[in-house]
């Protein structure tokens, strides 16, 4: 029994209800034993601390469109969901709770702290999962994974030990990004760079045995305490005689050499640079080339350590002030300039990071990267849009060894044990009980945990049961597609490629679709500080999930950022409303109709309009499938929008009203069959983009449901519909004539309700026959009372004319409009609009205004000028027509 469709479109009344039913009935669950071809996607696991933002909304909407579409095209679909333990982010959340209680993690101890984090995760973590469900994400929630699950932990340990045994994991004392507040190494991705106003200090370094100075420039004068050389370019003639001489490093009592290195830019500053290998990444590499000492002057909290001499115990910025003051007092401060500096900050606590010399664990990734490069070159993995391949190659060819250790407590603890008796390191799949070298039981486990990206690099296969050879793994690996943002192409995608190839012998995904950013309406990046953030959950509450999802899809053009505004989402809510009302109209006229399982098209008296809409529908079905196949989400949305709003709602439903309301039973049956077929197939087509509204309407259609839910039905591919290109072309010509009459009515300001007369002067007998056959359509849709069709008709003295293909439309104006009054009205309107054009033209030609006005004000004024100019052109054209008729 079909359900009654409510009078108004109120998405809040049914969205949650349908989602609960889908989930309860296991609609999203993948069967690893299914004989169907597989299609699988792993969700980019959101942080367990996260809440749904626009990036998540876009990313997961696009994934959901793909998996719903693939289910309907006969695939066994696995969309693997889960969350990431997000080491630093999650630890920070719980540390803040402890701070509010007046203690810290060291007070409670490691084990109790970890227990506390697990408890937080149980109670509050995973909020984002419920928000993804609100978005309509049809993940296989029965398989939900967490990067700290037992199974995933086993996979992490297996990979770590295997790479260590092959010599690809090692420890080394190197420079890393260090957060003095979080007390941990950070990956490059965990460092956010922000341009800040600072200073460039020019310091004088005395050359030993002379009264000369070398001037060096630095943005961090306190690091001079750790300088071990001054470098100049080998071809810089100014300093050729000084290479090899010594500098008396101020404030330290040390002497350091002047060295030559190609890295130095002889045109920047004085052409001489201070080298601090323990506190600068470029200096560290130069230090290795010249065998320089690494002098670390900071402790883990960013205070000067024992290597800083008299400055020991000072916080780094207090030390900076004192160092600068002391150099000035000695006459060694040459000058200070304002300088814009890209400052790196910890992505969690916003503390300025320090390049810091530290003993860490690394993966030698060069051999892994070679295979990952080959996989894209050979086409085993395709990156869409293709231009991102260049970025991928640039990163991979210049890849550096990966620092995988983090000095925090929450995460996968490194499975390494240090022997206090012989100093050996034991790395083991099981917790070690004795030293592998001397068999002593005097062991300490490594306190560091692994970088969060280490476990997420294994996500495509660890979530499916690896290292066990599970049925899920056999069925669904490699996955079909990864949908992700470009910002983690290297940090996550490339690492999954390397690990998948290494441990599975196959790429982790055959396609990688890179989507763009969601920005505000002006193209600005969304940020809390700018106050331009659009909250997906607020939008969903106001406009409904379907309107929001359709908006994201409609603007998801490859390689172009999405400019989003609530007005645009409101526009697509109108689209939902249009579909709803059209469906209600159709249903009201299908009360006495039972749709056949398969219509016998030959037995029906199909009208011109019927043949046209069926032909258009088949084309649309093929276009939508092709668009989704190529990841052209915006094209799929555009085709569906145009067909739904214009072809189906604006035209076809209006064209069949005569048949539905008339006395011809055969015409009525034909119209009912076609409108029921088109609406049902259209709901299937729209379902991946708009799952809730389509499910609600579909269950209101008459007849038996072919399956329990719409998502279980076959996706239309253009099959089983009668195709009549000739009839379609003829209908388009009739529509062109109707449009032309409507245009003239609009231009002449004829009231919509007023019936008019029209003459159709046809160029040939074929056009005449068509116009006569379609006369009812023209009368009804163009509101024509008297319609005359002929070839070579006599033209009335005062008539508005327009050509539509081989038909000239003549609308007699006698008695319809007063030409004198219309001329006055248009002249008055033109003068009014001309004032607007003059006003905005003057404003925008004022250089001072353009230079000082905010971008959004300029954009609005330019838009107003364009609108006024367009209106002026139309009014002037209308006036010319009136004058010509007099």
């Amino acid at each position: 029994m079909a359900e009654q469709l409510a009078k108004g479109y109120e998405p809040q009344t049914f969205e949650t209800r349908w989602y609960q039913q889908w989930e309860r009935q296991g609609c999203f669950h993948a069967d690893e034993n299914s004989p169907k071809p597989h299609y699988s996607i792993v969700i980019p696991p959101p942080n367990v601390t996260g809440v749904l933002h626009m990036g998540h909304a876009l990313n997961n909407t696009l994934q959901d469109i793909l998996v719903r579409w693939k289910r309907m095209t006969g695939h066994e679909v696995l969309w693997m969901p889960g969350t990431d333990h997000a080491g630093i982010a999650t630890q920070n959340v719980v540390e803040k709770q402890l701070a509010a209680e007046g203690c810290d993690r060291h007070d409670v101890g490691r084990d109790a702290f970890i227990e506390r984090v697990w408890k937080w995760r149980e109670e509050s973590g995973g909020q984002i999962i419920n928000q993804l469900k609100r978005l309509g994400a049809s993940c296989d929630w029965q398989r939900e994974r967490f990067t700290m699950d037992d199974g995933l932990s086993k996979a992490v340990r297996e990979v770590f030990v295997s790479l260590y045994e092959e010599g690809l994991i090692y420890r080394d004392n190197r420079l890393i990004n260090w957060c003095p507040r979080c007390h941990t190494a950070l990956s490059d991705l965990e460092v956010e760079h922000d341009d800040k106003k600072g200073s460039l200090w020019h310091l004088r370094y005395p050359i030993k045995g002379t009264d000369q100075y070398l001037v060096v420039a630095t943005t961090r004068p306190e690091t001079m305490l750790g300088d071990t050389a001054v470098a100049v370019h080998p071809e810089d003639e100014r300093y050729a005689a000084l290479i090899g001489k010594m500098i008396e490093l101020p404030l330290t009592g040390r002497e350091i050499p002047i060295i030559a290195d190609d890295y130095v830019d002889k045109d920047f500053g004085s052409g001489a640079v201070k080298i601090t290998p323990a506190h600068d990444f470029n200096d560290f590499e130069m230090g290795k080339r010249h065998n320089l000492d690494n002098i670390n002057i900071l402790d883990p909290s960013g205070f000067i350590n024992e290597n800083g001499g008299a400055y020991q115990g000072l916080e780094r910025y207090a030390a900076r002030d004192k160092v600068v003051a002391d150099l000035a007092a000695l006459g060694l401060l040459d000058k200070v300039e304002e300088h814009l500096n890209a400052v790196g900050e910890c992505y969690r606590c916003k503390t300025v990071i320090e390049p810091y010399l530290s003993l860490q664990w690394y993966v030698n990734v060069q051999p892994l990267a070679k295979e990952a490069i080959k996989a894209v070159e050979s086409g085993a993995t395709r990156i869409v849009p293709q231009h991102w391949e260049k970025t991928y190659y640039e990163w991979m060819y210049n890849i550096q060894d990966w620092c995988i250790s983090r000095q925090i407590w929450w995460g996968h603890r490194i499975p390494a044990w240090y022997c206090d008796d012989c100093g050996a390191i034991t790395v083991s799949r099981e917790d070690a009980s004795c030293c592998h070298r001397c068999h002593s039981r005097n062991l300490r486990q490594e306190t560091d945990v692994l970088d969060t990206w280490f476990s997420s690099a294994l996500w495509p296969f660890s979530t499916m049961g690896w290292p066990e050879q599970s049925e899920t793994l056999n069925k669904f690996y490699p996955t079909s597609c990864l949908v992700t943002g470009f910002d983690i192409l290297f940090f996550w995608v490339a690492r999954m490629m390397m690990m998948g190839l290494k441990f599975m012998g196959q790429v982790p995904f055959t396609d990688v679709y890179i989507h763009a950013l969601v920005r505000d309406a002006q193209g600005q990046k969304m940020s809390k500080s700018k106050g331009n953030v659009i909250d997906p959950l607020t939008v969903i509450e106001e406009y409904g999930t379907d309107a929001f999802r359709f908006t994201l899809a409609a603007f998801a053009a490859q390689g172009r950022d999405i400019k989003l505004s609530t007005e645009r989402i409101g526009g697509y809510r109108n689209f939902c409303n249009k579909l709803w009302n059209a469906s209600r109209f159709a249903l009201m006229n299908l009360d006495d109709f039972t749709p056949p399982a398969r219509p016998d098209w030959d037995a029906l008296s199909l009208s011109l309009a019927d043949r046209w809409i069926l032909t258009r529908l088949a084309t649309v079905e093929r276009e939508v499938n092709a668009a989704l196949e190529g990841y052209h989400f915006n094209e799929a949305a555009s085709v569906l929008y145009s067909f739904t709003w214009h072809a189906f709602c604006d035209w076809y439903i209006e064209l069949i009203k005569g048949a539905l309301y008339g006395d011809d039973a055969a015409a009525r049956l034909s119209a009912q069959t076609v409108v029921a077929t088109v609406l049902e197939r259209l709901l299937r087509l729209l379902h991946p983009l708009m799952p809730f509204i389509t499910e609600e309407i579909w269950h209101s259609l008459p007849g038996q449901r072919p399956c329990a839910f719409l998502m279980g039905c076959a996706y239309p591919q253009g099959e089983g519909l009668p195709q009549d290109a000739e009839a379609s072309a003829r209908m388009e010509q009739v529509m062109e004539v109707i449009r032309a009459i409507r245009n003239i009515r609009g231009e002449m300001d004829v009231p919509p309700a007023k019936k008019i007369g029209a003459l159709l002067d046809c160029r040939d007998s074929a056009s005449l026959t068509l116009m006569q056959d379609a006369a009812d359509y023209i009368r009804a849709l163009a509101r024509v009372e008297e319609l005359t069709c002929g070839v070579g008709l006599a033209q009335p003295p005062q008539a508005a004319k327009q050509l539509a293909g081989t038909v000239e439309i003549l609308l007699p104006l006698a008695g319809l409009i007063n030409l004198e009054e219309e001329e006055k009205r248009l002249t008055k309107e033109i003068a009014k609009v001309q004032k607007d054009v003059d006003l905005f033209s003057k404003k925008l030609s004022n250089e001072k205004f353009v230079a000082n006005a905010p971008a959004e004000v300029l954009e609005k004024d330019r838009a107003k000028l364009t609108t006024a100019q367009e209106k002026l052109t139309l009014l002037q054209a209308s006036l010319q027509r009136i004058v010509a008729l007099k």
Side-chain angles (χ1 to χ4, degrees), residues 387-457:
H387 68 260
W388 284 110
E389 283 185 11
K390 186 173 178 237
T391 307
Y392 174 83
Y393 290 136
E394 281 173 3
W395 280 339
M396 296 302 270
Y397 279 117
N398 296 298
I399 199 165
Q400 301 296 311
D401 283 3
W402 174 15
C403 174
I404 55 171
S405 44
R406 297 290 180 269
Q407 290 67 53
I408 57 176
W409 288 351
W410 173 243
H412 292 282
R413 196 164 172 182
I414 291 175
W417 287 261
Y418 302 106
C419 178
D420 285 336
D421 291 336
C422 74
I425 300 175
T426 299
V427 170
S428 172
R429 287 172 177 82
E430 306 300 328
D431 285 2
S433 55
C434 65
C435 173
H436 77 283
R437 184 195 289 167
C438 72
H439 306 295
S440 165
R441 292 185 173 275
N442 197 7
L443 297 180
R444 287 175 295 110
Q445 187 179 354
E446 169 63 84
T447 55
D448 289 359
V449 300
L450 287 164
D451 176 11
T452 301
W453 295 102
F454 191 91
S455 48
S456 53

Side-chain angles (χ1 to χ4, degrees), residues 7-15 538-552 554-555 565-581 641 645 690 693:
K7 189 175 179 183
Y9 170 59
E10 298 294 341
Q12 291 77 11
T13 62
F14 58 81
E15 288 186 351
T538 305
V539 163
I540 285 170
E541 283 304 315
E542 186 172 353
Y543 299 103
T545 304
D546 291 314
F548 178 47
R549 285 171 59 116
F550 201 89
T551 309
L552 293 173
F555 289 97
S565 67
T566 49
E567 288 79 13
R568 282 177 166 167
I569 302 164
Y572 285 106
R573 193 195 189 284
N574 294 341
F575 175 62
C576 294
N577 210 48
K578 185 94 168 175
L579 174 65
W580 188 269
N581 290 335
Y641 181 93
W645 190 295
M690 306 164 76
I693 187 174

Side-chain angles (χ1 to χ4, degrees), residues 317-582:
Y317 295 119
R320 174 178 297 180
D321 293 341
K322 183 155 175 49
V323 163
V324 169
D326 289 351
L327 288 170
L330 293 168
L332 298 177
L333 182 61
D334 191 63
K335 62 179 176 178
V336 184
E337 295 176 319
E338 276 192 8
H339 184 71
L340 199 62
N341 198 20
V343 176
E345 296 176 339
C346 172
Y347 80 117
R348 273 295 142 198
C349 67
K350 307 304 177 194
T351 301
V352 175
I353 61 106
E354 282 291 339
Y356 190 71
L357 196 63
S358 176
L359 187 60
Q360 302 284 346
W361 290 87
Y362 289 88
V363 179
N364 172 8
V365 286
Q366 275 82 5
L368 307 178
K370 276 181 193 168
E371 297 306 312
I373 290 167
K374 276 188 213 165
V376 175
E377 285 176 339
S378 69
T381 291
R382 178 173 69 127
I383 298 177
V384 182
Q386 194 179 1
H387 68 260
W388 284 110
E389 283 185 11
K390 186 173 178 237
T391 307
Y392 174 83
Y393 290 136
E394 281 173 3
W395 280 339
M396 296 302 270
Y397 279 117
N398 296 298
I399 199 165
Q400 301 296 311
D401 283 3
W402 174 15
C403 174
I404 55 171
S405 44
R406 297 290 180 269
Q407 290 67 53
I408 57 176
W409 288 351
W410 173 243
H412 292 282
R413 196 164 172 182
I414 291 175
W417 287 261
Y418 302 106
C419 178
D420 285 336
D421 291 336
C422 74
I425 300 175
T426 299
V427 170
S428 172
R429 287 172 177 82
E430 306 300 328
D431 285 2
S433 55
C434 65
C435 173
H436 77 283
R437 184 195 289 167
C438 72
H439 306 295
S440 165
R441 292 185 173 275
N442 197 7
L443 297 180
R444 287 175 295 110
Q445 187 179 354
E446 169 63 84
T447 55
D448 289 359
V449 300
L450 287 164
D451 176 11
T452 301
W453 295 102
F454 191 91
S455 48
S456 53
L458 321 180
W459 189 249
F461 54 93
S462 65
T463 51
M464 295 189 196
W466 189 90
E468 308 303 324
Q469 286 305 309
S470 67
E471 285 302 315
T472 306
L473 204 57
N474 292 335
K475 176 74 177 173
F476 294 109
Y477 188 93
T479 65
S480 312
C481 177
L482 179 81
V483 179
T484 187
F486 64 84
D487 50 340
I488 52 174
L489 180 57
F490 175 64
F491 297 99
W492 188 44
V493 179
R495 285 165 179 173
M496 283 190 286
M497 287 285 284
M498 292 190 285
M499 293 301 193
L501 286 161
K502 175 71 177 168
F503 291 96
M504 293 297 299
Q506 286 178 287
V507 292
F509 18 74
T510 49
D511 282 0
V512 177
Y513 176 71
I514 309 285
H515 61 74
L517 290 175
V518 184
R519 297 180 177 272
D520 71 8
Q522 278 72 47
Q524 298 290 311
K525 192 173 179 180
M526 289 189 188
S527 71
K528 286 177 185 172
S529 60
K530 287 180 185 167
N532 63 348
V533 172
I534 300 174
D535 178 8
L537 297 166
T538 305
V539 163
I540 285 170
E541 283 304 315
E542 186 172 353
Y543 299 103
T545 304
D546 291 314
F548 178 47
R549 285 171 59 116
F550 201 89
T551 309
L552 293 173
F555 289 97
Q558 286 186 13
R560 264 211 317 273
D561 285 346
I562 293 173
K563 291 183 181 179
L564 191 69
S565 67
T566 49
E567 288 79 13
R568 282 177 166 167
I569 302 164
Y572 285 106
R573 193 195 189 284
N574 294 341
F575 175 62
C576 294
N577 210 48
K578 185 94 168 175
L579 174 65
W580 188 269
N581 290 335

Side-chain angles (χ1 to χ4, degrees), residues 8 84 86 107 148 169 303 336 371 475 543 574 613 655 677 782 788 873:
D84 191 281
D107 295 328
M148 291 281 284
I169 283 184
F303 285 74
V336 184
E371 297 306 312
K475 176 74 177 173
Y543 299 103
N574 294 341
I613 197 71
L655 288 164
T677 300
T788 306
T873 303

